[in-house]
Amino acid sequence: MGILSAVYQDTVIDTLARLVSLLGVSMPNFWQAMIFILIFAVNLKILPASGFYGPSYWIMPAFTIGVHTSCSILRTTRSSMLETIRQDYIRTARAKGASEKRVIWIHALRNALIPVLTIVGLRFGAGLGGAVVIESIFSVPGLGKLMVDAIKQRDYPVVQGGVLLIAVSFSMINLLVDMLYAYVDPRIRSQYNTYKKKKAGKEEKV
């Protein structure tokens, strides 16, 4: 939706995407969770309100955590794509006769992905923090609920272990995002290769 919103700027698609992203970012996770329970579990009775005993129990917790993250990524993707498709090299690609599909998906998207990857890594950490509340609301027997129960019981070693696990997971995801930068953007690979050649040249002189 972020890509389509940028390509079709100021159209119905763009307006709809911006409205969805605004609503998704504005709504707190715990409020979304209670609204989903009220609509889908209490009124419509098509999804279970709590527990974690099968795929039907996973839908509301996963959707609640994912909405805010997805809308943040949508907004970042739109902004990054709008900035990228106005660059000179995009006009050059079009002037050379490249198809619009190739211009958008190959030339523009890959260069626009750097800030998107950054926000994905950051939102992953926020999702881990948000899962603590969501798991408690939906009675999901996960790390978040375990930490909340440990806080209530003043079981500090369990709380410390949970915080450490979340911190390590967040660090590993950010490391993976940094490695993906080089895969997505050839300019970063080029800078790294240039640095390696300069370093090798200095070692040979020594």
mmCIF file of all heavy atoms in Angstrom, residues 113-148:
data_model
loop_
_atom_site.group_PDB
_atom_site.id
_atom_site.type_symbol
_atom_site.label_atom_id
_atom_site.label_comp_id
_atom_site.label_asym_id
_atom_site.label_seq_id
_atom_site.Cartn_x
_atom_site.Cartn_y
_atom_site.Cartn_z
ATOM 1 N N LEU A 113 14.342 1.286 0.143
ATOM 2 C CA LEU A 113 14.161 0.308 1.206
ATOM 3 C C LEU A 113 15.005 0.567 2.450
ATOM 4 O O LEU A 113 14.730 -0.013 3.503
ATOM 5 C CB LEU A 113 14.472 -1.105 0.688
ATOM 6 C CG LEU A 113 13.334 -1.830 -0.030
ATOM 7 C CD1 LEU A 113 13.793 -3.204 -0.473
ATOM 8 C CD2 LEU A 113 12.116 -1.944 0.865
ATOM 9 N N ILE A 114 16.033 1.406 2.346
ATOM 10 C CA ILE A 114 16.919 1.613 3.495
ATOM 11 C C ILE A 114 16.152 2.153 4.711
ATOM 12 O O ILE A 114 16.200 1.567 5.799
ATOM 13 C CB ILE A 114 18.089 2.536 3.118
ATOM 14 C CG1 ILE A 114 18.964 1.883 2.040
ATOM 15 C CG2 ILE A 114 18.932 2.850 4.352
ATOM 16 C CD1 ILE A 114 19.598 0.580 2.458
ATOM 17 N N PRO A 115 15.419 3.269 4.595
ATOM 18 C CA PRO A 115 14.640 3.723 5.765
ATOM 19 C C PRO A 115 13.535 2.756 6.158
ATOM 20 O O PRO A 115 13.161 2.677 7.335
ATOM 21 C CB PRO A 115 14.078 5.077 5.322
ATOM 22 C CG PRO A 115 14.138 5.066 3.841
ATOM 23 C CD PRO A 115 15.305 4.219 3.480
ATOM 24 N N VAL A 116 13.004 2.005 5.183
ATOM 25 C CA VAL A 116 11.956 1.031 5.492
ATOM 26 C C VAL A 116 12.520 -0.096 6.354
ATOM 27 O O VAL A 116 11.903 -0.511 7.346
ATOM 28 C CB VAL A 116 11.340 0.465 4.198
ATOM 29 C CG1 VAL A 116 10.311 -0.615 4.522
ATOM 30 C CG2 VAL A 116 10.699 1.570 3.378
ATOM 31 N N LEU A 117 13.703 -0.597 5.999
ATOM 32 C CA LEU A 117 14.347 -1.634 6.812
ATOM 33 C C LEU A 117 14.649 -1.126 8.213
ATOM 34 O O LEU A 117 14.534 -1.859 9.198
ATOM 35 C CB LEU A 117 15.634 -2.101 6.130
ATOM 36 C CG LEU A 117 15.471 -2.953 4.870
ATOM 37 C CD1 LEU A 117 16.832 -3.231 4.239
ATOM 38 C CD2 LEU A 117 14.773 -4.273 5.205
ATOM 39 N N THR A 118 15.045 0.131 8.300
ATOM 40 C CA THR A 118 15.333 0.716 9.606
ATOM 41 C C THR A 118 14.091 0.716 10.485
ATOM 42 O O THR A 118 14.142 0.319 11.663
ATOM 43 C CB THR A 118 15.847 2.155 9.451
ATOM 44 O OG1 THR A 118 17.010 2.155 8.622
ATOM 45 C CG2 THR A 118 16.196 2.757 10.801
ATOM 46 N N ILE A 119 12.975 1.156 9.943
ATOM 47 C CA ILE A 119 11.740 1.213 10.733
ATOM 48 C C ILE A 119 11.243 -0.183 11.060
ATOM 49 O O ILE A 119 10.641 -0.413 12.124
ATOM 50 C CB ILE A 119 10.644 2.035 9.994
ATOM 51 C CG1 ILE A 119 9.567 2.515 10.989
ATOM 52 C CG2 ILE A 119 9.997 1.248 8.887
ATOM 53 C CD1 ILE A 119 10.028 3.512 11.972
ATOM 54 N N VAL A 120 11.497 -1.163 10.186
ATOM 55 C CA VAL A 120 11.112 -2.550 10.479
ATOM 56 C C VAL A 120 11.860 -3.049 11.709
ATOM 57 O O VAL A 120 11.273 -3.670 12.608
ATOM 58 C CB VAL A 120 11.387 -3.458 9.265
ATOM 59 C CG1 VAL A 120 11.311 -4.932 9.665
ATOM 60 C CG2 VAL A 120 10.389 -3.179 8.155
ATOM 61 N N GLY A 121 13.172 -2.786 11.761
ATOM 62 C CA GLY A 121 13.939 -3.204 12.921
ATOM 63 C C GLY A 121 13.476 -2.535 14.204
ATOM 64 O O GLY A 121 13.341 -3.178 15.253
ATOM 65 N N LEU A 122 13.199 -1.241 14.128
ATOM 66 C CA LEU A 122 12.741 -0.510 15.310
ATOM 67 C C LEU A 122 11.355 -0.971 15.757
ATOM 68 O O LEU A 122 11.089 -1.111 16.953
ATOM 69 C CB LEU A 122 12.721 0.994 15.024
ATOM 70 C CG LEU A 122 14.083 1.649 14.770
ATOM 71 C CD1 LEU A 122 13.907 3.103 14.373
ATOM 72 C CD2 LEU A 122 14.960 1.556 16.026
ATOM 73 N N ARG A 123 10.472 -1.194 14.785
ATOM 74 C CA ARG A 123 9.114 -1.620 15.135
ATOM 75 C C ARG A 123 9.095 -3.040 15.685
ATOM 76 O O ARG A 123 8.189 -3.407 16.431
ATOM 77 C CB ARG A 123 8.192 -1.535 13.916
ATOM 78 C CG ARG A 123 7.923 -0.128 13.411
ATOM 79 C CD ARG A 123 7.517 0.806 14.495
ATOM 80 N NE ARG A 123 6.375 0.325 15.272
ATOM 81 C CZ ARG A 123 5.939 0.876 16.377
ATOM 82 N NH1 ARG A 123 6.561 1.919 16.885
ATOM 83 N NH2 ARG A 123 4.893 0.387 17.011
ATOM 84 N N PHE A 124 10.089 -3.849 15.307
ATOM 85 C CA PHE A 124 10.163 -5.195 15.869
ATOM 86 C C PHE A 124 10.381 -5.107 17.380
ATOM 87 O O PHE A 124 9.753 -5.820 18.157
ATOM 88 C CB PHE A 124 11.303 -5.976 15.221
ATOM 89 C CG PHE A 124 11.449 -7.374 15.749
ATOM 90 C CD1 PHE A 124 10.681 -8.403 15.231
ATOM 91 C CD2 PHE A 124 12.339 -7.662 16.761
ATOM 92 C CE1 PHE A 124 10.803 -9.690 15.728
ATOM 93 C CE2 PHE A 124 12.480 -8.947 17.262
ATOM 94 C CZ PHE A 124 11.705 -9.971 16.737
ATOM 95 N N GLY A 125 11.289 -4.222 17.789
ATOM 96 C CA GLY A 125 11.512 -4.034 19.210
ATOM 97 C C GLY A 125 10.275 -3.508 19.921
ATOM 98 O O GLY A 125 9.936 -3.954 21.027
ATOM 99 N N ALA A 126 9.579 -2.575 19.282
ATOM 100 C CA ALA A 126 8.341 -2.057 19.870
ATOM 101 C C ALA A 126 7.274 -3.148 19.944
ATOM 102 O O ALA A 126 6.479 -3.191 20.889
ATOM 103 C CB ALA A 126 7.830 -0.873 19.050
ATOM 104 N N GLY A 127 7.271 -4.039 18.952
ATOM 105 C CA GLY A 127 6.325 -5.151 18.975
ATOM 106 C C GLY A 127 6.584 -6.099 20.125
ATOM 107 O O GLY A 127 5.651 -6.634 20.742
ATOM 108 N N LEU A 128 7.865 -6.328 20.440
ATOM 109 C CA LEU A 128 8.189 -7.169 21.590
ATOM 110 C C LEU A 128 7.664 -6.546 22.881
ATOM 111 O O LEU A 128 7.141 -7.242 23.753
ATOM 112 C CB LEU A 128 9.704 -7.363 21.678
ATOM 113 C CG LEU A 128 10.349 -8.250 20.615
ATOM 114 C CD1 LEU A 128 11.860 -8.234 20.761
ATOM 115 C CD2 LEU A 128 9.833 -9.678 20.734
ATOM 116 N N GLY A 129 7.826 -5.223 22.990
ATOM 117 C CA GLY A 129 7.309 -4.545 24.180
ATOM 118 C C GLY A 129 5.792 -4.567 24.236
ATOM 119 O O GLY A 129 5.190 -4.754 25.298
ATOM 120 N N GLY A 130 5.150 -4.369 23.072
ATOM 121 C CA GLY A 130 3.693 -4.385 23.022
ATOM 122 C C GLY A 130 3.107 -5.757 23.287
ATOM 123 O O GLY A 130 1.980 -5.880 23.786
ATOM 124 N N ALA A 131 3.870 -6.810 22.969
ATOM 125 C CA ALA A 131 3.377 -8.168 23.194
ATOM 126 C C ALA A 131 3.170 -8.462 24.671
ATOM 127 O O ALA A 131 2.353 -9.315 25.022
ATOM 128 C CB ALA A 131 4.357 -9.173 22.589
ATOM 129 N N VAL A 132 3.898 -7.758 25.525
ATOM 130 C CA VAL A 132 3.730 -7.955 26.964
ATOM 131 C C VAL A 132 2.299 -7.632 27.373
ATOM 132 O O VAL A 132 1.671 -8.376 28.150
ATOM 133 C CB VAL A 132 4.736 -7.076 27.743
ATOM 134 C CG1 VAL A 132 4.471 -7.156 29.238
ATOM 135 C CG2 VAL A 132 6.167 -7.483 27.431
ATOM 136 N N VAL A 133 1.761 -6.539 26.860
ATOM 137 C CA VAL A 133 0.391 -6.135 27.192
ATOM 138 C C VAL A 133 -0.629 -7.005 26.466
ATOM 139 O O VAL A 133 -1.620 -7.460 27.058
ATOM 140 C CB VAL A 133 0.173 -4.645 26.843
ATOM 141 C CG1 VAL A 133 -1.256 -4.221 27.141
ATOM 142 C CG2 VAL A 133 1.159 -3.774 27.593
ATOM 143 N N ILE A 134 -0.392 -7.255 25.172
ATOM 144 C CA ILE A 134 -1.360 -7.997 24.361
ATOM 145 C C ILE A 134 -1.513 -9.423 24.854
ATOM 146 O O ILE A 134 -2.624 -9.967 24.899
ATOM 147 C CB ILE A 134 -0.919 -7.976 22.875
ATOM 148 C CG1 ILE A 134 -0.854 -6.537 22.360
ATOM 149 C CG2 ILE A 134 -1.883 -8.795 22.025
ATOM 150 C CD1 ILE A 134 -2.114 -5.748 22.560
ATOM 151 N N GLU A 135 -0.402 -10.057 25.240
ATOM 152 C CA GLU A 135 -0.486 -11.433 25.738
ATOM 153 C C GLU A 135 -1.284 -11.504 27.030
ATOM 154 O O GLU A 135 -1.979 -12.490 27.284
ATOM 155 C CB GLU A 135 0.920 -11.992 25.935
ATOM 156 C CG GLU A 135 1.631 -12.312 24.636
ATOM 157 C CD GLU A 135 3.035 -12.832 24.857
ATOM 158 O OE1 GLU A 135 3.411 -13.068 26.023
ATOM 159 O OE2 GLU A 135 3.762 -13.018 23.859
ATOM 160 N N SER A 136 -1.194 -10.468 27.842
ATOM 161 C CA SER A 136 -1.976 -10.444 29.077
ATOM 162 C C SER A 136 -3.471 -10.282 28.786
ATOM 163 O O SER A 136 -4.311 -10.925 29.422
ATOM 164 C CB SER A 136 -1.503 -9.297 29.979
ATOM 165 O OG SER A 136 -0.149 -9.469 30.335
ATOM 166 N N ILE A 137 -3.809 -9.440 27.793
ATOM 167 C CA ILE A 137 -5.221 -9.216 27.460
ATOM 168 C C ILE A 137 -5.850 -10.475 26.880
ATOM 169 O O ILE A 137 -6.977 -10.848 27.242
ATOM 170 C CB ILE A 137 -5.351 -8.042 26.469
ATOM 171 C CG1 ILE A 137 -4.920 -6.731 27.151
ATOM 172 C CG2 ILE A 137 -6.780 -7.926 25.951
ATOM 173 C CD1 ILE A 137 -4.898 -5.543 26.213
ATOM 174 N N PHE A 138 -5.134 -11.170 25.981
ATOM 175 C CA PHE A 138 -5.683 -12.354 25.319
ATOM 176 C C PHE A 138 -5.338 -13.653 26.041
ATOM 177 O O PHE A 138 -5.639 -14.736 25.529
ATOM 178 C CB PHE A 138 -5.169 -12.429 23.872
ATOM 179 C CG PHE A 138 -5.752 -11.397 22.959
ATOM 180 C CD1 PHE A 138 -5.012 -10.296 22.576
ATOM 181 C CD2 PHE A 138 -7.051 -11.510 22.486
ATOM 182 C CE1 PHE A 138 -5.529 -9.332 21.724
ATOM 183 C CE2 PHE A 138 -7.585 -10.546 21.636
ATOM 184 C CZ PHE A 138 -6.823 -9.458 21.263
ATOM 185 N N SER A 139 -4.690 -13.557 27.205
ATOM 186 C CA SER A 139 -4.292 -14.743 27.987
ATOM 187 C C SER A 139 -3.458 -15.712 27.159
ATOM 188 O O SER A 139 -3.679 -16.921 27.164
ATOM 189 C CB SER A 139 -5.540 -15.461 28.538
ATOM 190 O OG SER A 139 -6.244 -14.628 29.420
ATOM 191 N N VAL A 140 -2.504 -15.150 26.451
ATOM 192 C CA VAL A 140 -1.588 -15.959 25.645
ATOM 193 C C VAL A 140 -0.415 -16.376 26.525
ATOM 194 O O VAL A 140 0.246 -15.514 27.123
ATOM 195 C CB VAL A 140 -1.083 -15.163 24.420
ATOM 196 C CG1 VAL A 140 -0.040 -15.967 23.656
ATOM 197 C CG2 VAL A 140 -2.245 -14.803 23.513
ATOM 198 N N PRO A 141 -0.112 -17.663 26.652
ATOM 199 C CA PRO A 141 0.982 -18.116 27.521
ATOM 200 C C PRO A 141 2.350 -17.894 26.888
ATOM 201 O O PRO A 141 3.077 -18.843 26.568
ATOM 202 C CB PRO A 141 0.683 -19.606 27.709
ATOM 203 C CG PRO A 141 -0.019 -19.998 26.444
ATOM 204 C CD PRO A 141 -0.836 -18.791 26.045
ATOM 205 N N GLY A 142 2.717 -16.628 26.698
ATOM 206 C CA GLY A 142 3.991 -16.293 26.073
ATOM 207 C C GLY A 142 4.922 -15.588 27.037
ATOM 208 O O GLY A 142 4.659 -15.491 28.249
ATOM 209 N N LEU A 143 6.007 -15.054 26.484
ATOM 210 C CA LEU A 143 7.005 -14.371 27.300
ATOM 211 C C LEU A 143 6.419 -13.137 27.989
ATOM 212 O O LEU A 143 6.734 -12.847 29.142
ATOM 213 C CB LEU A 143 8.202 -13.972 26.428
ATOM 214 C CG LEU A 143 9.329 -13.201 27.113
ATOM 215 C CD1 LEU A 143 9.947 -14.044 28.222
ATOM 216 C CD2 LEU A 143 10.390 -12.787 26.098
ATOM 217 N N GLY A 144 5.559 -12.399 27.272
ATOM 218 C CA GLY A 144 4.977 -11.199 27.848
ATOM 219 C C GLY A 144 4.127 -11.499 29.076
ATOM 220 O O GLY A 144 4.264 -10.848 30.123
ATOM 221 N N LYS A 145 3.251 -12.481 28.958
ATOM 222 C CA LYS A 145 2.401 -12.847 30.099
ATOM 223 C C LYS A 145 3.251 -13.396 31.245
ATOM 224 O O LYS A 145 2.970 -13.155 32.426
ATOM 225 C CB LYS A 145 1.363 -13.875 29.673
ATOM 226 C CG LYS A 145 0.294 -14.131 30.736
ATOM 227 C CD LYS A 145 -0.806 -15.018 30.184
ATOM 228 C CE LYS A 145 -1.931 -15.146 31.206
ATOM 229 N NZ LYS A 145 -1.455 -15.724 32.491
ATOM 230 N N LEU A 146 4.290 -14.155 30.895
ATOM 231 C CA LEU A 146 5.191 -14.676 31.920
ATOM 232 C C LEU A 146 5.840 -13.544 32.709
ATOM 233 O O LEU A 146 5.929 -13.601 33.950
ATOM 234 C CB LEU A 146 6.268 -15.546 31.271
ATOM 235 C CG LEU A 146 7.370 -16.088 32.203
ATOM 236 C CD1 LEU A 146 6.776 -17.058 33.213
ATOM 237 C CD2 LEU A 146 8.473 -16.753 31.389
ATOM 238 N N MET A 147 6.268 -12.499 32.006
ATOM 239 C CA MET A 147 6.903 -11.365 32.693
ATOM 240 C C MET A 147 5.903 -10.606 33.563
ATOM 241 O O MET A 147 6.241 -10.180 34.674
ATOM 242 C CB MET A 147 7.545 -10.433 31.663
ATOM 243 C CG MET A 147 8.768 -11.009 30.979
ATOM 244 S SD MET A 147 9.501 -9.864 29.808
ATOM 245 C CE MET A 147 9.962 -8.511 30.893
ATOM 246 N N VAL A 148 4.685 -10.439 33.071
ATOM 247 C CA VAL A 148 3.668 -9.741 33.874
ATOM 248 C C VAL A 148 3.370 -10.533 35.138
ATOM 249 O O VAL A 148 3.288 -9.975 36.251
ATOM 250 C CB VAL A 148 2.388 -9.524 33.044
ATOM 251 C CG1 VAL A 148 1.262 -9.002 33.929
ATOM 252 C CG2 VAL A 148 2.649 -8.549 31.910
#
